Structures are given as structure tokens and as C-alpha cells.
Amino acid sequence: MRTEEGAGHDLRHHGDAEVRDDGSGLVDLAVNVRADTPPAWLREVIAGSLAGLAAYPDGRAARAAVAARHGVGPERVLLTAGAAEAFVLLARALKVRRPVVVHPQFTEPEAALRDAGHSVDRVLLREADGFRLDPALVPESADLVVIGNPTNPTSVLHPADALVRLARPGRTLVADEAFMDAVPGEREALAGRTDVPGLVVLRSLTKTWGLAGLRIGYVLAAPEVIAELERAQPLWPVSSPALAAAEACVGPQALAEAAHAAHRVAADRAHLLAGLESFAAAGVRVAGPPEGPFVLVRVPGAARVRVRLRELGYAVRRGDTFPGLDRDWLRIAVRDRATMSGFLDALRAALS
């Protein structure tokens, strides 16, 4: 379905808007970044890099480390200032005629494409289908397809085989895997695959490691695509502290820690889901089943409930800025069990 500019959705609204200014003192359930990060050892790595700030950044070691983590050559890796920069590079560098974005999902890919002058088509997944991907919905004429996995904000984890069915010669398939390391075992990941034509995988290191303020992510793709994106980047696009963090976050110690954190998030999410079930009589419904570090919830009168939650000390993400969702949706970041219990008490008060 072809859409007009923005089609009434604020594509530039993100969760951080909920906790700025008068929201700075709220319990943050609006931003999908782990609250207990970065860990002390990673802060030490970043601090240690400051002594070398007089030199221009050299990304070769970090690039090689990311490549080794995914079992590919460095020529298949591009380091970026967060995954958001990668969307801008794709929109500016790739010569596409009919880009399609699968929604509901992170809105920055569509915003970047529109800013680059593209007319964007949307495929809207349905609540009735659990917001799960049906590859047949994507038009054959699409030469660029963007989809998140697990998808923000639905928290749906699509089967890798379903995504692979979207690939074909002459089409670029962009899989945004910014939250994949929060999935135990990284089930359904495509990162490291070299057998899928036109595949571009985006990863972020800001979510699991709490580095949103540092801006670090990367792209995995065929060497010719990486070269094209790299030409669109400015010189020295990633700072030395971010490069040091990237190298550290893909090492064996960090991968083991991230795997442990993924299981902890799954347990905390299960606690939240059990609590949300108690509000079923009030019309509260959870999309999914959720597999990411956040859940999408339909709440009757969600706009009013969200304001009441703020009064009670909790910030959650409004859902109506995502194409395919309306004012009755809220996204809730998964936190530790105690925080989730406090939120459930606040939600009970907000619904009453």
C-alpha cells in the first residue's frame, strides 16, 4: 500500500522523548536500553580509550573483531554511529525504485528513506495475525524490503525462513537485528549468513550494553554493498571510544555476559506477562508472543492510562506513532522483577 508523507504518524518520535525534561525523574519503561548498563568493565574500556583521543579513529581492529564474531571477512562489515546511521546510509547510497517497509516497526528506516527522496510503500502486519510476517504480502516489484527481527515495537520474532523467502536477485533485504542479542540463543538470526541474496543485516550495540549515548552499531552485507555504504559515510564516522566499546562487546567474555542477560530478560518478561494477564478483564491484551526486551500491549484508553502512569512515576512508550497501530497501544520495556512488580501496581491504579 502506497502512503503519503508520514500518513499522520510522527516517524521521528522515539521513546527517549518520554523521559526528557519533565519525565527525567520517572522510572523509564519507554526506552529499550537495559537499565543496568554499561557494566563496570566496559566503562573501564571506554575510559581507557580517552588517552588516545588526539589520534584519528582507526576502526580496523574493531571491524576485524566484529567480523570474527560472525564468522565473516572484514570486507563484509561496516561500523556505524548506531544502527540509525546505517538506515540513513542505505537510503542515500542504494539506488532503489520501490522501497517497502514492513510495519509496525522502528520508524527510522522509513523516515530516512523519505528524507532521501524516496516514495515508500508500507506492508502493514495485522494484530489478528499476531503481527507475524506473511512473505506473500510484500509486492514482487519491491527492490528494497526492511523488516525488524525481533520487531520493535511488537516484540515478534519472525522465523528466519520466512525472512529468507523475501530474498531474491535484484532486491536488497534489510533485517534489523538490533534486539537479536536479547533473544536467548539468537534464534532466527540471519547475521553471518552469506547464502541469502541481497541480505543486509543491521546490529546495534547500544541496547544490550547501554551505549545509546556513545552511538555504535554495524552492518553485515556483501563486500560490494559495504563499499557502497562506506563511500556515503563521512571520514572517521565512529569515535575511538565507540570503536573500543565495539571491540570489547563482541569478545568471548561479553558474548557470554550478553547470553546470560538474555535469559534474565526472558525471565523478567515472563513475570511481567503473568501480571498483565490479570488485567484481561479490563481489556488489556499483549501482542506476540513477545520475544524481545519489551512488550506491546493494547490498553483501552491507553492515552489516558499513559498520562496516569506518568503521575504515578512510570514512563511508557505511546504506540500511535508506529504505522499500523492506534492510540490504544503502549510499549513497555522489560526491567527487573521488582521494577515490573511496581509497574503492575501502578497500572492497576491507572486502570481503576
Side-chain angles (χ1 to χ4, degrees), residues 131-194:
F131 296 113
R132 302 196 72 80
L133 172 66
D134 178 359
L137 295 175
V138 177
E140 277 297 320
S141 58
D143 57 357
L144 172 69
V145 179
V146 184
I147 183 168
N149 203 33
T151 299
N152 172 21
T154 65
S155 205
V156 169
L157 182 65
H158 304 290
D161 289 347
L163 268 66
V164 169
R165 286 170 56 193
L166 293 174
R168 57 212 5 70
R171 171 185 288 177
T172 300
L173 171 61
V174 179
D176 176 9
E177 293 188 351
F179 295 98
M180 187 61 79
D181 59 356
V183 177
E186 297 197 1
R187 307 186 323 276
E188 315 302 343
L190 293 178
R193 293 276 296 269
T194 60

Side-chain angles (χ1 to χ4, degrees), residues 276 279 284 299 305 309 312 330 332 342-352:
L276 290 171
F279 302 119
V284 174
V299 181
V305 171
L309 285 170
L312 295 167
L330 299 173
I332 305 163
F343 165 74
L344 290 167
D345 290 341
L347 180 59
R348 183 173 292 105
L351 290 169
S352 64

Side-chain angles (χ1 to χ4, degrees), residues 38-101:
W41 65 263
L42 182 53
R43 292 197 300 270
E44 291 175 4
V45 168
I46 295 169
S49 73
L50 301 182
L53 290 185
Y56 285 97
D58 183 347
R60 288 176 295 178
R63 193 171 189 170
V66 171
R69 182 257 194 269
H70 292 289
V72 298
E75 71 280 0
R76 287 183 168 269
V77 175
L78 181 68
L79 301 171
T80 59
E85 188 205 5
F87 290 122
V88 173
L89 295 176
L90 288 164
R92 293 178 178 177
L94 300 186
K95 297 174 177 60
V96 296
R97 299 178 306 280
R98 191 179 183 188
V100 169
V101 178

